[in-house]
Amino acid sequence: MISEKRIILRNSGVINPQSIEEYIDAGGYKSLSSAFASTPEKVVEEVMASGLRGRGGAGFPTGIKKQAAADRDTGKISYVVCNADEGEPGTFKDRIIMETNPHLLIEGMIIAGYSISAKLGYIYIRGEYYDSVRRLQHAIHQAYARGYLGNDILGSGFSFDLEIKPGAGSYLCGEELTLLESLEGKRGYPRIKPPFPTEKGFWDKPTLVNNVETLANLPGIIGHGSSWFRSSGTEKTPGTKLFSVCGDVKKPGCYETDAGVILNDLINDLAGGTSNGKPWKAVLLGGAAGTFVPYSFSGLSLCYERLKEQGATLGSGAVIVIGNERKLIPLMQSILMFFRHESCGKCVPCRVGTTYIHERSLEIPAAGNEARISILEEIVNHARQMAKSSLCPLGQSPILPLGTLQIHFTEMIATE
Amino acid sequence: MDQQEIIAGFSPDKTNLLAMLHALQDNHPQNYLTEESLRAAASHLRVNLSWVYGVAGYYSMFSLQPRGRFIIRICNSPVCNMMGSSGLIDVLGSILGIGAGETTPDGLFTVEQVECLGICDVAPAMMVNRKVYGNLTRKSLEAIIDELRILQNKPE
């Protein structure tokens, strides 16, 4: 029987999220002093030594991306942007951090700002997260009043301002370059990359874009050191990971464990097992832009390297459990409807493709067994073409759930 | 609050556009962006009306049509859908007599089908204006609508 390992969520549900005093009493903002006692270069080195990988979905190594840090020495303006546009279906971990421990994110943002000598940071939060915005706004006011934000923070000579910017209902804006377009007050259309945001980001200046959970890991790494951080998780995915477990389980919720936790331990020991107590049919890992795995994967270790070997993804950490009595076709249709709705229309293959494959999927239930298999094959082929010919992750994503459905569940789809 | 007062609260910086549109929309009793408000925002930021219109039209939380006092956003993304959200649209249809994207004739309710709201731990879920409701059933949904009808004459 495993239990949670709470590092990011250590204070969640324990302290009052709206009290900076309680956060400080629990050891909060101490890592900031540690960072200031060290140099920005050393902070970057420590984060790189920790092996922290971006927690937003891509798993990009090193929370602090090098280019923006390198530009520090040239005196160029740079920015830190927190990606809090959590929109991946099945994912709600960043919301839990922002609602239950907003100061942890603020402390992480200040450390990130210091490491690349940025003067200004933005937290871009999806428009529907009213409670996150409210709590963070209050926490930012408190941090200014206490001198953790603003000019000459704690007498360090480092100044940093932090602002919240709301999104307005676009999944695509969770993609870093699209997020920056939105932050600049534009329609959420993706940019061509490269250049990456660390070279040309917000207002074309070097910009460090990190996910909420990634930034929330920085105070721990700076406060306790990279080897402490590496004592959790696996060699290639060090640290803990927040998992959003939902669907057919008794206790859906956000659970923090060592990265590399066994899938069924997470489902059974933490989420209370499946709703009807029977072995699950499938798990969708990483959300709509994620991968399906069958029950034979129940012993799989949830870390980037093991999942990659198995053709699966960790993504944002969504674990959507699909019970044995569920049908997969309606779920597939719902996923395709999601992509159809969220495609921005910039790239033709994605605009036409997301609509076409969704409509084809609606024909599956009425088709015979053989016809179902050939429709699925056709949809998968289209999704593969879209992945090759679309600019941003949206058009590149439908192949993930579709391809894994075809590999593991073709027979079930033909007969259900 | 007066529209000009709201706009004056934002520095004339394009990064404020989305926040400004939210504020203008929330301030309107019919929860939408009027042509006049788009023009005022454009003039404050010194951008063309087409820029602001393009932004307002792109994001799904903004509406260019009048809506009800209560915006009911039913989450229809894969998790909520699996847990029964399409049945909830039917329940609302039978109670309110409207489908997704429509407003009741008394101007009280607008029903919208939206993608993931990030509250999948309580699926099927919805938001009514700024409030989250989860683990919805026919019965709880009916009770919420009754409650909102009672609330209608009180400020939020």
Side-chain angles (χ1 to χ4, degrees), chain A residues 256-284:
Chain A
E256 181 175 8
T257 70
D258 275 295
V261 66
I262 302 299
L263 177 57
N264 243 4
D265 289 349
L266 179 64
I267 294 172
N268 293 329
D269 297 354
L270 299 180
T274 56
S275 306
N276 63 8
K278 303 213 172 106
W280 41 269
K281 179 182 273 186
V283 167
L284 179 53

mmCIF file of all heavy atoms in Angstrom, chain A residues 256-284:
data_model
loop_
_atom_site.group_PDB
_atom_site.id
_atom_site.type_symbol
_atom_site.label_atom_id
_atom_site.label_comp_id
_atom_site.label_asym_id
_atom_site.label_seq_id
_atom_site.Cartn_x
_atom_site.Cartn_y
_atom_site.Cartn_z
ATOM 1 N N GLU A 256 -0.134 13.586 -5.030
ATOM 2 C CA GLU A 256 1.296 13.800 -5.264
ATOM 3 C C GLU A 256 2.074 12.584 -4.778
ATOM 4 O O GLU A 256 1.941 12.167 -3.631
ATOM 5 C CB GLU A 256 1.776 15.050 -4.506
ATOM 6 C CG GLU A 256 3.254 15.336 -4.737
ATOM 7 C CD GLU A 256 3.731 16.637 -4.090
ATOM 8 O OE1 GLU A 256 2.947 17.253 -3.338
ATOM 9 O OE2 GLU A 256 4.885 17.008 -4.341
ATOM 10 N N THR A 257 2.871 12.027 -5.681
ATOM 11 C CA THR A 257 3.692 10.865 -5.314
ATOM 12 C C THR A 257 5.065 11.026 -5.955
ATOM 13 O O THR A 257 5.281 11.936 -6.748
ATOM 14 C CB THR A 257 3.111 9.539 -5.872
ATOM 15 O OG1 THR A 257 3.280 9.545 -7.299
ATOM 16 C CG2 THR A 257 1.646 9.370 -5.549
ATOM 17 N N ASP A 258 5.963 10.107 -5.616
ATOM 18 C CA ASP A 258 7.217 10.037 -6.345
ATOM 19 C C ASP A 258 6.896 9.871 -7.823
ATOM 20 O O ASP A 258 6.011 9.080 -8.177
ATOM 21 C CB ASP A 258 7.987 8.776 -5.924
ATOM 22 C CG ASP A 258 8.812 9.000 -4.682
ATOM 23 O OD1 ASP A 258 9.749 9.797 -4.753
ATOM 24 O OD2 ASP A 258 8.513 8.367 -3.641
ATOM 25 N N ALA A 259 7.608 10.564 -8.691
ATOM 26 C CA ALA A 259 7.477 10.283 -10.115
ATOM 27 C C ALA A 259 7.914 8.832 -10.301
ATOM 28 O O ALA A 259 8.836 8.373 -9.624
ATOM 29 C CB ALA A 259 8.363 11.216 -10.924
ATOM 30 N N GLY A 260 7.237 8.104 -11.182
ATOM 31 C CA GLY A 260 7.574 6.702 -11.366
ATOM 32 C C GLY A 260 6.684 5.776 -10.561
ATOM 33 O O GLY A 260 6.903 4.568 -10.522
ATOM 34 N N VAL A 261 5.652 6.327 -9.936
ATOM 35 C CA VAL A 261 4.694 5.493 -9.191
ATOM 36 C C VAL A 261 4.062 4.475 -10.153
ATOM 37 O O VAL A 261 3.924 4.741 -11.358
ATOM 38 C CB VAL A 261 3.616 6.393 -8.531
ATOM 39 C CG1 VAL A 261 2.761 7.084 -9.576
ATOM 40 C CG2 VAL A 261 2.731 5.602 -7.578
ATOM 41 N N ILE A 262 3.703 3.317 -9.624
ATOM 42 C CA ILE A 262 3.062 2.288 -10.457
ATOM 43 C C ILE A 262 1.599 2.677 -10.687
ATOM 44 O O ILE A 262 0.893 3.039 -9.744
ATOM 45 C CB ILE A 262 3.146 0.908 -9.760
ATOM 46 C CG1 ILE A 262 4.610 0.529 -9.494
ATOM 47 C CG2 ILE A 262 2.429 -0.173 -10.576
ATOM 48 C CD1 ILE A 262 5.478 0.391 -10.731
ATOM 49 N N LEU A 263 1.188 2.602 -11.949
ATOM 50 C CA LEU A 263 -0.155 3.055 -12.325
ATOM 51 C C LEU A 263 -1.248 2.484 -11.421
ATOM 52 O O LEU A 263 -2.091 3.216 -10.907
ATOM 53 C CB LEU A 263 -0.411 2.703 -13.799
ATOM 54 C CG LEU A 263 -1.797 3.026 -14.362
ATOM 55 C CD1 LEU A 263 -2.146 4.500 -14.205
ATOM 56 C CD2 LEU A 263 -1.858 2.644 -15.851
ATOM 57 N N ASN A 264 -1.243 1.162 -11.216
ATOM 58 C CA ASN A 264 -2.327 0.579 -10.418
ATOM 59 C C ASN A 264 -2.248 0.935 -8.938
ATOM 60 O O ASN A 264 -3.267 0.981 -8.259
ATOM 61 C CB ASN A 264 -2.380 -0.941 -10.596
ATOM 62 C CG ASN A 264 -3.695 -1.366 -11.241
ATOM 63 O OD1 ASN A 264 -4.519 -0.524 -11.610
ATOM 64 N ND2 ASN A 264 -3.893 -2.678 -11.367
ATOM 65 N N ASP A 265 -1.033 1.209 -8.434
ATOM 66 C CA ASP A 265 -0.920 1.652 -7.036
ATOM 67 C C ASP A 265 -1.593 3.011 -6.876
ATOM 68 O O ASP A 265 -2.285 3.273 -5.887
ATOM 69 C CB ASP A 265 0.560 1.771 -6.622
ATOM 70 C CG ASP A 265 1.224 0.412 -6.474
ATOM 71 O OD1 ASP A 265 0.489 -0.604 -6.479
ATOM 72 O OD2 ASP A 265 2.463 0.363 -6.369
ATOM 73 N N LEU A 266 -1.364 3.867 -7.860
ATOM 74 C CA LEU A 266 -1.990 5.195 -7.834
ATOM 75 C C LEU A 266 -3.515 5.056 -7.850
ATOM 76 O O LEU A 266 -4.225 5.686 -7.050
ATOM 77 C CB LEU A 266 -1.507 5.984 -9.059
ATOM 78 C CG LEU A 266 -2.046 7.389 -9.270
ATOM 79 C CD1 LEU A 266 -1.613 8.307 -8.144
ATOM 80 C CD2 LEU A 266 -1.554 7.951 -10.606
ATOM 81 N N ILE A 267 -4.009 4.189 -8.737
ATOM 82 C CA ILE A 267 -5.462 4.030 -8.871
ATOM 83 C C ILE A 267 -6.063 3.345 -7.639
ATOM 84 O O ILE A 267 -7.070 3.793 -7.097
ATOM 85 C CB ILE A 267 -5.800 3.242 -10.157
ATOM 86 C CG1 ILE A 267 -5.406 4.072 -11.385
ATOM 87 C CG2 ILE A 267 -7.272 2.852 -10.196
ATOM 88 C CD1 ILE A 267 -5.526 3.325 -12.705
ATOM 89 N N ASN A 268 -5.424 2.269 -7.191
ATOM 90 C CA ASN A 268 -6.026 1.490 -6.102
ATOM 91 C C ASN A 268 -5.758 2.053 -4.722
ATOM 92 O O ASN A 268 -6.664 2.180 -3.896
ATOM 93 C CB ASN A 268 -5.542 0.039 -6.157
ATOM 94 C CG ASN A 268 -6.061 -0.678 -7.394
ATOM 95 O OD1 ASN A 268 -7.148 -0.367 -7.890
ATOM 96 N ND2 ASN A 268 -5.268 -1.599 -7.921
ATOM 97 N N ASP A 269 -4.496 2.391 -4.448
ATOM 98 C CA ASP A 269 -4.143 2.803 -3.091
ATOM 99 C C ASP A 269 -4.541 4.241 -2.791
ATOM 100 O O ASP A 269 -4.911 4.570 -1.671
ATOM 101 C CB ASP A 269 -2.632 2.641 -2.854
ATOM 102 C CG ASP A 269 -2.194 1.185 -2.962
ATOM 103 O OD1 ASP A 269 -3.082 0.317 -3.096
ATOM 104 O OD2 ASP A 269 -0.978 0.921 -2.930
ATOM 105 N N LEU A 270 -4.431 5.113 -3.798
ATOM 106 C CA LEU A 270 -4.731 6.523 -3.528
ATOM 107 C C LEU A 270 -6.133 6.928 -3.979
ATOM 108 O O LEU A 270 -6.825 7.641 -3.270
ATOM 109 C CB LEU A 270 -3.676 7.424 -4.180
ATOM 110 C CG LEU A 270 -2.246 7.189 -3.678
ATOM 111 C CD1 LEU A 270 -1.262 8.114 -4.381
ATOM 112 C CD2 LEU A 270 -2.157 7.392 -2.165
ATOM 113 N N ALA A 271 -6.524 6.476 -5.154
ATOM 114 C CA ALA A 271 -7.827 6.909 -5.677
ATOM 115 C C ALA A 271 -8.955 5.933 -5.317
ATOM 116 O O ALA A 271 -10.063 6.057 -5.836
ATOM 117 C CB ALA A 271 -7.748 7.115 -7.182
ATOM 118 N N GLY A 272 -8.660 4.989 -4.438
ATOM 119 C CA GLY A 272 -9.715 4.122 -3.916
ATOM 120 C C GLY A 272 -10.163 2.998 -4.834
ATOM 121 O O GLY A 272 -11.159 2.320 -4.567
ATOM 122 N N GLY A 273 -9.467 2.787 -5.941
ATOM 123 C CA GLY A 273 -9.841 1.723 -6.876
ATOM 124 C C GLY A 273 -10.970 2.158 -7.793
ATOM 125 O O GLY A 273 -11.490 3.270 -7.687
ATOM 126 N N THR A 274 -11.322 1.283 -8.718
ATOM 127 C CA THR A 274 -12.366 1.639 -9.682
ATOM 128 C C THR A 274 -13.733 1.707 -8.991
ATOM 129 O O THR A 274 -13.938 1.083 -7.947
ATOM 130 C CB THR A 274 -12.451 0.614 -10.829
ATOM 131 O OG1 THR A 274 -12.650 -0.677 -10.245
ATOM 132 C CG2 THR A 274 -11.175 0.591 -11.658
ATOM 133 N N SER A 275 -14.652 2.428 -9.607
ATOM 134 C CA SER A 275 -15.964 2.658 -8.998
ATOM 135 C C SER A 275 -16.704 1.363 -8.722
ATOM 136 O O SER A 275 -17.370 1.223 -7.696
ATOM 137 C CB SER A 275 -16.813 3.526 -9.921
ATOM 138 O OG SER A 275 -16.107 4.696 -10.237
ATOM 139 N N ASN A 276 -16.595 0.387 -9.647
ATOM 140 C CA ASN A 276 -17.337 -0.862 -9.431
ATOM 141 C C ASN A 276 -16.433 -1.983 -8.903
ATOM 142 O O ASN A 276 -16.862 -3.129 -8.796
ATOM 143 C CB ASN A 276 -18.063 -1.296 -10.717
ATOM 144 C CG ASN A 276 -17.095 -1.600 -11.862
ATOM 145 O OD1 ASN A 276 -15.870 -1.628 -11.664
ATOM 146 N ND2 ASN A 276 -17.630 -1.826 -13.039
ATOM 147 N N GLY A 277 -15.192 -1.644 -8.578
ATOM 148 C CA GLY A 277 -14.282 -2.627 -7.989
ATOM 149 C C GLY A 277 -13.685 -3.610 -8.988
ATOM 150 O O GLY A 277 -12.851 -4.436 -8.632
ATOM 151 N N LYS A 278 -14.097 -3.533 -10.245
ATOM 152 C CA LYS A 278 -13.581 -4.471 -11.256
ATOM 153 C C LYS A 278 -12.380 -3.843 -11.983
ATOM 154 O O LYS A 278 -12.246 -2.621 -12.020
ATOM 155 C CB LYS A 278 -14.688 -4.784 -12.267
ATOM 156 C CG LYS A 278 -15.937 -5.364 -11.590
ATOM 157 C CD LYS A 278 -16.634 -6.353 -12.495
ATOM 158 C CE LYS A 278 -17.737 -7.065 -11.736
ATOM 159 N NZ LYS A 278 -19.087 -6.595 -12.121
ATOM 160 N N PRO A 279 -11.510 -4.678 -12.566
ATOM 161 C CA PRO A 279 -10.353 -4.120 -13.289
ATOM 162 C C PRO A 279 -10.815 -3.162 -14.389
ATOM 163 O O PRO A 279 -11.809 -3.416 -15.067
ATOM 164 C CB PRO A 279 -9.683 -5.350 -13.904
ATOM 165 C CG PRO A 279 -10.138 -6.497 -13.072
ATOM 166 C CD PRO A 279 -11.522 -6.152 -12.591
ATOM 167 N N TRP A 280 -10.092 -2.077 -14.535
ATOM 168 C CA TRP A 280 -10.482 -1.072 -15.518
ATOM 169 C C TRP A 280 -10.268 -1.569 -16.943
ATOM 170 O O TRP A 280 -9.496 -2.495 -17.187
ATOM 171 C CB TRP A 280 -9.758 0.246 -15.275
ATOM 172 C CG TRP A 280 -8.302 0.171 -14.889
ATOM 173 C CD1 TRP A 280 -7.797 0.108 -13.617
ATOM 174 C CD2 TRP A 280 -7.160 0.152 -15.758
ATOM 175 N NE1 TRP A 280 -6.431 0.055 -13.645
ATOM 176 C CE2 TRP A 280 -6.003 0.084 -14.940
ATOM 177 C CE3 TRP A 280 -6.990 0.199 -17.141
ATOM 178 C CZ2 TRP A 280 -4.700 0.049 -15.471
ATOM 179 C CZ3 TRP A 280 -5.703 0.174 -17.661
ATOM 180 C CH2 TRP A 280 -4.586 0.099 -16.829
ATOM 181 N N LYS A 281 -10.955 -0.913 -17.864
ATOM 182 C CA LYS A 281 -10.814 -1.287 -19.278
ATOM 183 C C LYS A 281 -9.627 -0.572 -19.906
ATOM 184 O O LYS A 281 -8.819 -1.167 -20.610
ATOM 185 C CB LYS A 281 -12.099 -0.905 -20.033
ATOM 186 C CG LYS A 281 -12.054 -1.236 -21.514
ATOM 187 C CD LYS A 281 -13.318 -0.801 -22.250
ATOM 188 C CE LYS A 281 -14.392 -1.868 -22.188
ATOM 189 N NZ LYS A 281 -15.581 -1.526 -23.010
ATOM 190 N N ALA A 282 -9.527 0.723 -19.654
ATOM 191 C CA ALA A 282 -8.456 1.522 -20.251
ATOM 192 C C ALA A 282 -8.155 2.695 -19.332
ATOM 193 O O ALA A 282 -8.980 3.068 -18.502
ATOM 194 C CB ALA A 282 -8.892 2.047 -21.618
ATOM 195 N N VAL A 283 -6.961 3.243 -19.499
ATOM 196 C CA VAL A 283 -6.636 4.514 -18.850
ATOM 197 C C VAL A 283 -6.136 5.443 -19.940
ATOM 198 O O VAL A 283 -5.359 5.037 -20.812
ATOM 199 C CB VAL A 283 -5.566 4.346 -17.743
ATOM 200 C CG1 VAL A 283 -5.014 5.697 -17.313
ATOM 201 C CG2 VAL A 283 -6.149 3.630 -16.533
ATOM 202 N N LEU A 284 -6.648 6.666 -19.900
ATOM 203 C CA LEU A 284 -6.158 7.679 -20.830
ATOM 204 C C LEU A 284 -5.173 8.542 -20.042
ATOM 205 O O LEU A 284 -5.558 9.264 -19.119
ATOM 206 C CB LEU A 284 -7.329 8.510 -21.360
ATOM 207 C CG LEU A 284 -7.009 9.646 -22.341
ATOM 208 C CD1 LEU A 284 -6.193 9.171 -23.523
ATOM 209 C CD2 LEU A 284 -8.306 10.292 -22.838
#
